[in-house]
Amino acid sequence: MTAKPAPRLIGAFVLGLVGARALRSCLALYRAPVGDISRPTAATRELHGSAALLAASVLADSAMEHFRGSFENPGMYAPLISSALALAAGTEGVVVGSLGAREFRRRSFMLSGGIGILGLGFHLYNIFKRPGGLSWLNLFYGAPVGAPAALSVSGLTGLAAEQLADETRAPTRLLWFSAGRALAAFTSFTLAGTVAEAALLHFRGAFQNPFMWAPVSLPPVASVLMAKASLSRQSETHPFTRAWLWATAALGLIGAGFHAYGVSRAMGGWRNWSQNLIDGPPLPAPPSFSALSLAGLSALSLIEKDAHEARQSEV
């Protein structure tokens, strides 16, 4: 079944817009002065790393899923372009952190955030147009809402890193809020959303493996702890929350291993990788927990920094 003309025209327009924006981002990087290096803090590096890891997850996931859909709609190429740019921008922010590349990073992250929102609309349209509309069956087998949402989160996380790295702004503020507390609340919300998607897909798999309960057990606690950190009074450290975030980050990497094992158990195993990677458990999905944990660690660092400065001002 081919896509209807209207969605295809919209998809073609989106692809053209993404191509133009991507070209402008690349030109900004090409024109950037060479050797102009900033000194990014650990918090901004963690945020850039979080954005890059989320973008890598979306890039791999959308490439496989949209390939399975034969790229029926031209707009299905858009998340590949935008997530690749966000991956490059986040990696540059972690490894180099050039001041000259700041415009490239900002444009790339803004593009990812916008395409993620548009993609979410496309995926919701795909679900509601199916017979039965919003139903468990369509949520199980329709276009996943988690992937475009993750692309938006990648863009927003990268933009937060850029704002914190901007020396012309207050270094510990995001919009009108304390940066650490705003990021902690954001991490709590996005972790909860990722848990909901994992619960949906593992419920589809009937939790046939006991380890399938792990992503609906550990990350919810991390989400609650980050919500508590965003609302609690200033404190010097959050060792328990930090340790739980590290455990959640490890869970994301271990989960990718379990999904790889699931692919190997399918008919033909890795010898039939071209089919089993598409039809088996998604390899790029679990590392999203690791990416969000990095953002949470950055939020805790900023909260602890504010607490330390408050103590110093009282002395």
Side-chain angles (χ1 to χ4, degrees):
M1 181 182 294
T2 59
K4 293 182 179 180
R8 285 180 63 86
L9 286 174
I10 295 173
F13 173 76
V14 170
L15 180 60
L17 181 63
V18 169
R21 292 290 182 179
L23 180 60
R24 291 187 65 184
S25 297
C26 293
L27 286 175
L29 181 62
Y30 175 76
R31 295 169 180 170
V34 179
D36 193 8
I37 307 299
S38 65
R39 297 180 183 273
T41 64
T44 57
R45 285 187 185 275
E46 287 167 343
L47 286 174
H48 276 131
S50 174
L53 186 53
L54 271 176
S57 175
V58 174
L59 176 60
D61 187 50
S62 60
M64 289 190 296
E65 293 295 327
H66 290 181
F67 175 79
R68 177 165 63 177
S70 303
F71 291 95
E72 180 185 12
N73 189 312
M76 295 170 78
Y77 289 100
L80 276 67
I81 298 171
S82 55
S83 58
L85 284 173
L87 173 58
T91 303
E92 199 281 338
V94 173
V95 178
V96 181
S98 170
L99 289 173
R102 179 170 293 174
E103 188 63 23
F104 163 72
R105 295 195 300 266
R106 282 179 175 168
R107 288 181 182 274
S108 299
F109 291 136
M110 288 178 66
L111 180 63
S112 296
I115 292 303
I117 294 173
L118 287 174
L120 183 60
F122 269 104
H123 283 207
L124 289 174
Y125 168 76
N126 176 272
I127 291 172
F128 280 97
K129 77 173 184 179
R130 289 168 170 258
L134 184 63
S135 65
W136 287 113
L137 185 64
N138 290 338
L139 286 174
F140 286 154
Y141 298 105
V145 298
L151 184 57
S152 289
V153 171
S154 173
L156 290 174
T157 303
L159 288 173
E162 290 305 308
Q163 182 167 339
L164 292 174
D166 192 343
E167 296 177 354
T168 64
R169 298 175 184 266
T172 57
R173 306 290 293 182
L174 283 175
L175 299 177
W176 304 277
F177 306 99
S178 163
R181 297 184 185 282
L183 283 171
F186 181 68
T187 303
S188 174
F189 176 76
T190 51
L191 274 171
T194 308
V195 168
E197 184 185 31
L200 179 71
L201 296 181
H202 285 191
F203 177 74
R204 185 181 72 179
F207 289 96
Q208 56 183 318
N209 188 316
F211 286 102
M212 294 174 74
W213 289 98
V216 296
S217 302
L218 268 85
V221 178
S223 176
V224 171
L225 290 173
M226 290 307 298
K228 181 177 181 295
S230 70
L231 297 173
S232 61
R233 295 180 179 179
Q234 286 185 343
S235 59
E236 191 76 26
T237 59
H238 295 81
F240 182 73
T241 304
R242 189 176 289 275
W244 204 277
L245 285 174
W246 278 116
T248 304
L251 173 69
L253 300 179
I254 294 170
F258 272 106
H259 282 206
Y261 173 69
V263 171
S264 71
R265 292 187 61 196
M267 184 176 295
W270 284 101
R271 290 172 298 178
N272 189 27
W273 63 268
S274 60
Q275 178 178 340
N276 291 339
L277 275 179
I278 295 175
D279 296 332
L283 286 178
S288 59
F289 285 117
S290 304
L292 295 176
S293 297
L294 281 178
L297 291 168
S298 176
L300 291 182
S301 297
L302 292 169
I303 291 174
E304 291 164 5
K305 176 178 176 290
D306 288 345
H308 177 72
E309 292 179 351
R311 286 175 176 267
Q312 293 285 41
S313 65
E314 293 174 357
V315 176

